[in-house]
Amino acid sequence: MNDDLDSMRTHPLLHTHRPANPGRLWLALCALLLTTACTDRKTPSDDRWSRSGELIAMSGGEAGARYACATCHGVRGEGNGFDAPRLAGLPAGYLQKQMEDYAAGLRPHEVMRDVARFLDSHERVRVANHYAALPPQAVAPATQETIDAATPALYARACQQCHGAEGVGSENGPPLNAQPAFYLTQQLQDWQRSKRRNDGKHGMLEVAQQLDAGQVRQLGLYLARIPPRPASPGR
């Protein structure tokens, strides 16, 4: 037994100190930080709150109540009448695309980016389908400011080709009717400044930059007062 102990004491591998490779440690640390910092989940969730679009909308799914859609967009997707748009009755494909664009950073918005990134692609589809199936409800206009007599003609000339008569939407653009005037104005201003550029061919950039501040305001007021309608089937 003493011979065995002696051989262990003298074995070169047991007494040679091998310093850790700092390069490998640094790479491992970076990989860990990148993995834990990323919130855009790519795999389906097993969380019980993610089993339906309604549960996700009400609870926020794995992200918690702070990120619940209903917090800003209302229990029935009606919006808040100010800066959070109506979601109820919008086309499912449009809603899903916006969540994908928020998650990818193509449509800048700090809060919506985090909301979308906490959902995987399957959950985004469920949320979109949930809101598309809800009957749209009208929210009282936040202002009674007078609409110019020329505004309907302005809309028909600048917007109707893509967004349909009276803003009900078409295959080329989402519905705009019954959205809050402030929200619509804000979005047009974002298009004008190129802050928002997620329409593919930048058609909205060209249209918005041809409008002056008064026209932008008038279009928001006009569209906000058109009653909502359900999304067309298959959109």
Side-chain angles (χ1 to χ4, degrees):
M1 183 171 179
N2 289 336
D3 292 340
D4 293 337
L5 291 173
D6 289 340
S7 64
M8 290 176 64
R9 294 191 188 101
T10 57
H11 198 290
L13 292 179
L14 294 175
H15 290 274
T16 302
H17 177 65
R18 298 195 176 194
N21 187 318
R24 290 182 180 177
L25 287 175
W26 175 248
L27 288 174
L29 179 60
C30 288
L32 177 62
L33 289 174
L34 287 173
T35 302
T36 55
C38 181
T39 58
D40 191 8
R41 297 189 294 109
K42 300 297 184 183
T43 57
S45 171
D46 292 327
D47 181 36
R48 66 190 182 91
W49 292 110
S50 302
R51 293 176 185 170
S52 77
E54 183 176 13
L55 281 174
I56 297 169
M58 295 298 114
S59 69
E62 290 187 341
R66 177 185 175 189
Y67 292 101
C69 309
T71 302
C72 295
H73 296 281
V75 174
R76 303 302 297 168
E78 69 274 19
N80 67 0
F82 183 58
D83 58 351
R86 168 178 65 88
L87 303 181
L90 295 184
Y94 172 76
L95 291 171
Q96 181 187 352
K97 181 185 184 300
Q98 298 313 299
M99 283 188 283
E100 300 291 350
D101 288 351
Y102 281 128
L106 298 177
R107 182 174 176 179
H109 192 286
E110 187 175 348
V111 174
M112 281 303 306
R113 177 199 63 201
D114 291 343
V115 170
R117 286 184 176 181
F118 269 114
L119 304 177
D120 63 40
S121 58
H122 302 275
E123 292 164 344
R124 292 169 194 159
V125 170
R126 291 179 190 134
V127 171
N129 289 336
H130 165 66
Y131 280 114
L134 289 177
Q137 301 182 20
V139 176
T143 174
Q144 295 301 318
E145 187 176 339
T146 303
I147 300 173
D148 248 7
T151 302
L154 170 65
Y155 172 81
R157 182 175 70 253
C159 316
Q160 183 169 311
Q161 181 178 353
C162 292
H163 295 283
E166 296 191 316
V168 298
S170 74
E171 65 274 10
N172 298 316
L176 302 176
N177 57 320
Q179 293 290 16
F182 179 87
Y183 168 78
L184 293 168
T185 300
Q186 187 181 56
Q187 294 307 301
L188 275 171
Q189 291 171 343
D190 285 349
W191 287 114
Q192 286 181 322
R193 296 192 294 263
S194 298
K195 180 180 178 181
R196 182 176 173 184
R197 299 177 66 95
N198 68 321
D199 64 339
K201 297 181 180 179
H202 307 309
M204 277 301 306
L205 175 69
E206 296 175 10
V207 171
Q209 289 185 341
Q210 295 174 19
L211 303 172
D212 62 36
Q215 290 173 322
V216 167
R217 175 67 177 164
Q218 281 293 310
L219 285 170
L221 293 169
Y222 168 70
L223 288 163
R225 296 184 193 176
I226 300 175
R229 300 180 188 177
S232 301
R235 291 198 63 226

Short mmCIF file of all heavy atoms in Angstrom, two decimals, residues 13 20 25 39 45 56 59-60 69 78 85 95 107 140 149 151 167 209 222 228:
data_model
loop_
_atom_site.label_atom_id
_atom_site.label_comp_id
_atom_site.label_asym_id
_atom_site.label_seq_id
_atom_site.Cartn_x
_atom_site.Cartn_y
_atom_site.Cartn_z
N LEU A 13 1.23 13.71 -13.60
CA LEU A 13 -0.05 14.32 -13.93
C LEU A 13 -0.78 14.85 -12.70
O LEU A 13 -1.59 15.75 -12.78
CB LEU A 13 -0.94 13.30 -14.66
CG LEU A 13 -0.47 12.90 -16.07
CD1 LEU A 13 -1.43 11.89 -16.66
CD2 LEU A 13 -0.36 14.12 -16.97
N ALA A 20 -5.78 27.66 -16.22
CA ALA A 20 -6.94 27.73 -17.11
C ALA A 20 -6.64 28.64 -18.29
O ALA A 20 -5.93 29.64 -18.15
CB ALA A 20 -8.15 28.26 -16.35
N LEU A 25 -12.14 30.68 -21.26
CA LEU A 25 -13.05 31.15 -20.21
C LEU A 25 -13.84 32.36 -20.68
O LEU A 25 -15.04 32.49 -20.42
CB LEU A 25 -12.26 31.49 -18.94
CG LEU A 25 -11.71 30.31 -18.14
CD1 LEU A 25 -10.86 30.81 -17.00
CD2 LEU A 25 -12.86 29.45 -17.60
N THR A 39 -34.20 37.43 -25.36
CA THR A 39 -35.57 37.16 -24.94
C THR A 39 -36.45 36.69 -26.09
O THR A 39 -37.63 36.47 -25.90
CB THR A 39 -36.19 38.44 -24.33
OG1 THR A 39 -36.14 39.48 -25.31
CG2 THR A 39 -35.46 38.86 -23.09
N SER A 45 -43.45 27.04 -26.02
CA SER A 45 -43.43 27.05 -24.56
C SER A 45 -44.36 25.98 -24.01
O SER A 45 -45.42 25.71 -24.56
CB SER A 45 -43.85 28.42 -24.05
OG SER A 45 -44.03 28.40 -22.65
N ILE A 56 -52.75 34.21 -23.15
CA ILE A 56 -51.54 35.02 -23.34
C ILE A 56 -51.89 36.50 -23.24
O ILE A 56 -51.20 37.27 -22.58
CB ILE A 56 -50.89 34.71 -24.69
CG1 ILE A 56 -50.44 33.26 -24.76
CG2 ILE A 56 -49.68 35.62 -24.92
CD1 ILE A 56 -50.04 32.80 -26.14
N SER A 59 -52.72 37.32 -19.53
CA SER A 59 -51.73 37.05 -18.49
C SER A 59 -50.32 37.52 -18.83
O SER A 59 -49.49 37.69 -17.95
CB SER A 59 -51.66 35.54 -18.22
OG SER A 59 -51.09 34.87 -19.33
N GLY A 60 -50.04 37.70 -20.12
CA GLY A 60 -48.68 38.01 -20.53
C GLY A 60 -47.82 36.78 -20.73
O GLY A 60 -46.63 36.89 -21.03
N CYS A 69 -51.12 41.87 -22.98
CA CYS A 69 -51.65 42.75 -24.03
C CYS A 69 -52.80 43.61 -23.51
O CYS A 69 -52.94 44.78 -23.88
CB CYS A 69 -52.14 41.92 -25.21
SG CYS A 69 -50.96 40.73 -25.84
N GLU A 78 -60.06 46.71 -27.46
CA GLU A 78 -60.63 47.95 -27.97
C GLU A 78 -59.64 49.11 -28.03
O GLU A 78 -59.94 50.15 -28.60
CB GLU A 78 -61.84 48.35 -27.11
CG GLU A 78 -61.50 48.81 -25.69
CD GLU A 78 -61.39 47.67 -24.69
OE1 GLU A 78 -61.21 46.51 -25.10
OE2 GLU A 78 -61.48 47.96 -23.48
N PRO A 85 -53.52 51.13 -30.01
CA PRO A 85 -54.55 50.96 -31.03
C PRO A 85 -55.54 49.84 -30.70
O PRO A 85 -55.28 48.98 -29.87
CB PRO A 85 -53.75 50.60 -32.28
CG PRO A 85 -52.52 49.93 -31.74
CD PRO A 85 -52.20 50.67 -30.47
N LEU A 95 -51.71 41.35 -37.73
CA LEU A 95 -51.30 41.37 -36.32
C LEU A 95 -50.05 40.52 -36.10
O LEU A 95 -49.14 40.93 -35.38
CB LEU A 95 -52.45 40.85 -35.45
CG LEU A 95 -53.69 41.75 -35.36
CD1 LEU A 95 -54.82 41.01 -34.66
CD2 LEU A 95 -53.36 43.05 -34.63
N ARG A 107 -39.92 47.33 -36.53
CA ARG A 107 -40.84 48.39 -36.13
C ARG A 107 -40.45 48.82 -34.71
O ARG A 107 -40.77 48.15 -33.74
CB ARG A 107 -42.29 47.90 -36.17
CG ARG A 107 -43.29 48.99 -35.81
CD ARG A 107 -44.73 48.53 -35.99
NE ARG A 107 -45.64 49.59 -35.53
CZ ARG A 107 -46.96 49.51 -35.57
NH1 ARG A 107 -47.54 48.41 -36.06
NH2 ARG A 107 -47.71 50.51 -35.14
N ALA A 140 -65.13 56.02 -27.71
CA ALA A 140 -65.49 57.42 -27.92
C ALA A 140 -64.27 58.24 -28.30
O ALA A 140 -63.20 58.08 -27.71
CB ALA A 140 -66.11 57.99 -26.64
N ALA A 149 -63.81 69.79 -44.36
CA ALA A 149 -64.66 69.23 -45.41
C ALA A 149 -63.84 68.55 -46.50
O ALA A 149 -64.32 67.64 -47.19
CB ALA A 149 -65.53 70.33 -46.01
N THR A 151 -61.16 66.71 -46.04
CA THR A 151 -60.40 65.56 -45.56
C THR A 151 -60.83 64.23 -46.18
O THR A 151 -59.97 63.42 -46.54
CB THR A 151 -60.47 65.48 -44.02
OG1 THR A 151 -59.95 66.68 -43.47
CG2 THR A 151 -59.64 64.32 -43.52
N GLY A 167 -61.39 53.45 -44.85
CA GLY A 167 -60.36 52.86 -43.99
C GLY A 167 -60.63 51.47 -43.51
O GLY A 167 -60.08 51.05 -42.48
N GLN A 209 -44.67 61.55 -46.50
CA GLN A 209 -43.81 62.72 -46.67
C GLN A 209 -44.42 63.77 -47.60
O GLN A 209 -43.90 64.87 -47.71
CB GLN A 209 -42.44 62.28 -47.17
CG GLN A 209 -41.63 61.56 -46.10
CD GLN A 209 -40.21 61.22 -46.52
OE1 GLN A 209 -39.90 61.19 -47.70
NE2 GLN A 209 -39.37 60.95 -45.55
N TYR A 222 -60.39 62.09 -38.96
CA TYR A 222 -61.39 61.53 -39.87
C TYR A 222 -61.53 60.03 -39.68
O TYR A 222 -62.64 59.50 -39.55
CB TYR A 222 -60.98 61.88 -41.31
CG TYR A 222 -61.74 61.12 -42.37
CD1 TYR A 222 -63.08 61.40 -42.62
CD2 TYR A 222 -61.10 60.16 -43.15
CE1 TYR A 222 -63.78 60.71 -43.60
CE2 TYR A 222 -61.78 59.47 -44.14
CZ TYR A 222 -63.12 59.75 -44.36
OH TYR A 222 -63.81 59.07 -45.34
N PRO A 228 -66.01 50.89 -36.46
CA PRO A 228 -65.20 49.68 -36.73
C PRO A 228 -66.02 48.60 -37.41
O PRO A 228 -67.24 48.55 -37.28
CB PRO A 228 -64.74 49.24 -35.35
CG PRO A 228 -65.84 49.71 -34.44
CD PRO A 228 -66.32 51.00 -35.03
#
